[in-house]
Each structure stands twice: as C-alpha cells, then as structure tokens.
Amino acid sequence: MVDQLLTAGIAAAAGVAVYLGAATRVVKQYERGIVFRFGRLRKGVRPPGLAMILPVADRLHKVNLQIVTLPVPAQEGITRDNVTVRVDAVVYFKVVDPASALIAVEDYRFAVSQMAQTSLRSIIGKSDLDDLLSNREKLNQGLELMIDSPAMGWGVQIDRVEIKDVSLPETMKRSMARQAEADRERRARLINADAELQASHKLAEAAEVMSDQPAALQLRLLQTVIAVAAEKNSTLVLPFPVELLRFLERATPTPTPPATTAPPEPLPAAAGPEPLPAPGPTAPPPDGTAAPTAEAPPPLDLAGPPLDEPRPDLAD
C-alpha cells in the first residue's frame, strides 16, 4: 500500500513538473510576450520575467523592442537636375506596439526595408545633386517622415534615417573636380590681386616719403647692398636709381661759363689782276665794216676708208 502511494506521488510530481516546464516561459528584459490562445489574441502583454501559459492552448510570441539597424541597399535614380546617382542609407527603428507588429503586417522588418527603398528612390527624384551632397539633414528628415507615416500603423516607430553615401559617375566627379579647381584658382587670383593693391598703396606712400627726403633713398640703397652682401656672392649687382642722380645733380654746384669776346672783323680782300673777259661775240668796228671771223677748222675724218676697199698704197 505504501509503495503504491509512493509511486503515485512520484508520478504526480513528475506530471506537475512536466506541466510546469511546458507552461512556463521566460521573457527577457528587452522583449515583450504576446499570447495567442487557440489562435485568438489574449489581452495584455506579458512583461519581462516568468510567463505562464497553457501548454496546449496557448502560444507565446516574443517581440524584440530594441532599436533595429536596417541597412537600405543602394538605389540608383536620376535627380531633378538629370544626374544619375546611387544612394544608400540606414534606418533605425523599434517596435512600440508588439501586438500590431505581429498582426498588422506579416514581417515588419521586410516591410520597413521595402518602404525605405521606395522612399529613398522618391527622395532622389525630388532633390538636386547639390542637396544630396550638402543638404543631407533636410533630406534625412523628409525621408524619415515618408517612412514613418505607414510604419505607425504597423506598431513600428522610425527613430532615425541617415543617407550614408552618394556615388557619382566618374565623368561627373571629374567635372566637379575641375569646377572646384577653377574656383580655387579664382580665389587665389583675387587674393593675389588684393595683395598687389595693398602693396602698391604702401609703395606709393614710401615713394612720397623718399621724394620729400632724398636721403631716405640713399639709406634704402645702402640697406639693399648690405642685404645682398650678406649672401657672400662673388658678383654684386648694384641698382643705381635715377632719383639718386637727380639728387646728386641738385647737390653739385653748377660752374659759371667764362665771358666770350667778339669775333674779329674779316680783312678786306687783296687787289689782284683783273679777270680776263669771258669769250663771246666780238663787237663790230666803229667804221661799219664787218669784222673778219675766224674760220673753224675742218672736222677730222677719223672713220677712214672701209675695210673691204683696197688701199692704193698697198696695191703694189
């Protein structure tokens, strides 16, 4: 009799232990338990700790309430200014209503991922390239609102959305690099021109001081010579300004020229024999007779006989 009672007690204890083991569940601190009894949702959410359920009738589903980091695959799209880009992002969300996360949507993780990809492509088409590169905070806020609106009905709250990277084509990268280089060069030229303007003002002031005090130019020249001589060069090029020559010219007294005498008067020409009269027509004599004229000598015949005619002196 005692043996039978002992055996029954052990069997009952074993049955209770098995029942308790099947009915007891442990819910972690970052989880919440949702119980379905015969497929129907039980009211109330099981808090962290031990949770008792009916082994056959109830099913306990644990929902993680931690913030989930969901990377969004890179999406390729065309911006509003017709530039093809690839943009990837990351979404941070958490479950705020475990019952809705299990009932309202089949897989809330997959649903949030697809909604994030769709919203990212939409935000790319509505934005310019400059906004994607420099105004990401505003785009992140707009993307968060676009994802959070449908996610609230799934019991999911979007905590934060960040655009990670914007990939540009190589041609666009080279164009932007040339633009940045040109802008840098323009700024460098402006700075250089401003420096030249300030230097010209200072040089003009220095020139005014040196024009009032010529000795300052000489002192400056000596300082230049000292600076060049400190380099121990074998050849010394000494600039000699024109202003220094003018200063020395003004400092040197001008000699007075000697008195000039009047030039002597030219002597009268000495009397000489009277010049002979030039040849010309002879005047007629006073008696009216014609004066004899000298006959001109006959012209000389220099041609001679022709070569083909025989000469009489050579005929013999």
Side-chain angles (χ1 to χ4, degrees):
M1 186 68 181
V2 175
D3 295 338
Q4 293 178 356
L5 292 176
L6 184 59
T7 302
I10 294 174
V16 172
V18 172
Y19 177 81
L20 291 177
T24 305
R25 295 290 185 271
V26 177
V27 180
K28 298 180 182 179
Q29 181 64 36
Y30 54 85
E31 295 176 339
R32 297 295 183 268
I34 303 298
V35 178
F36 290 91
R37 179 167 295 176
F38 295 110
R40 296 176 62 90
L41 177 66
R42 298 284 297 174
K43 294 182 179 180
V45 178
R46 302 300 173 91
L50 290 176
M52 302 300 297
I53 61 173
L54 296 177
V56 178
D58 295 343
R59 292 290 183 271
L60 179 66
H61 294 270
K62 300 176 184 179
V63 180
N64 192 342
L65 300 184
Q66 290 178 317
I67 295 178
V68 180
T69 302
L70 180 65
V72 181
Q75 302 297 314
E76 185 173 354
I78 301 177
T79 60
R80 190 166 57 181
D81 50 354
N82 299 326
V83 179
T84 303
V85 295
R86 289 178 60 88
V87 182
D88 55 350
V90 58
V91 180
Y92 302 91
F93 68 93
K94 63 181 179 180
V95 177
V96 294
D97 189 357
S100 299
L102 292 177
I103 298 175
V105 63
E106 180 181 2
D107 187 354
Y108 64 90
R109 288 174 178 263
F110 182 75
V112 172
S113 176
Q114 294 299 314
M115 179 57 65
Q117 295 180 31
T118 305
S119 302
L120 184 58
R121 287 194 296 269
S122 178
I123 207 72
I124 289 173
K126 295 179 181 179
S127 305
D128 295 332
L129 180 60
D130 294 338
D131 294 336
L132 290 175
L133 297 176
S134 60
N135 196 11
R136 292 190 180 183
E137 293 295 333
K138 183 178 179 181
L139 296 180
N140 292 338
Q141 294 177 2
L143 190 58
E144 180 180 349
L145 291 176
M146 293 178 66
I147 302 174
D148 190 53
S149 298
M152 289 299 296
W154 306 334
V156 177
Q157 179 182 356
I158 304 299
D159 187 70
R160 193 173 184 179
V161 180
E162 292 287 343
I163 295 177
K164 292 197 302 182
D165 188 23
V166 178
S167 300
L168 300 175
E170 293 297 329
T171 56
M172 181 59 64
K173 290 181 180 179
R174 289 194 293 268
S175 300
M176 294 177 66
R178 289 195 299 269
Q179 179 183 1
E181 183 179 359
D183 185 66
R184 294 278 183 178
E185 185 177 358
R186 178 183 63 84
R187 291 168 58 185
R189 289 184 178 180
L190 291 178
I191 294 174
N192 190 16
D194 191 14
E196 293 292 339
L197 179 60
Q198 295 179 7
S200 63
H201 290 325
K202 294 299 181 182
L203 290 176
E205 294 178 3
E208 291 179 359
V209 174
M210 290 183 180
S211 62
D212 296 338
Q213 300 292 334
L217 184 60
Q218 179 67 16
L219 294 177
R220 183 58 183 164
L221 178 60
L222 295 177
Q223 291 177 359
T224 304
V225 172
I226 294 173
V228 174
E231 299 294 334
K232 298 181 181 180
N233 297 325
S234 59
T235 303
L236 177 62
V237 179
L238 181 62
F240 204 73
V242 181
E243 287 77 5
L244 182 58
L245 295 177
R246 294 175 181 173
F247 169 71
L248 296 177
E249 182 181 358
R250 288 195 300 267
T252 304
T254 305
T256 57
T260 58
T261 58
E265 296 180 359
L267 297 176
E274 295 181 358
L276 297 176
T282 307
D287 53 359
T289 62
T293 60
E295 296 180 359
L300 298 178
D301 187 6
L302 301 178
L307 295 178
D308 56 351
E309 293 182 1
R311 295 179 60 180
D313 54 351
L314 297 179
D316 297 337

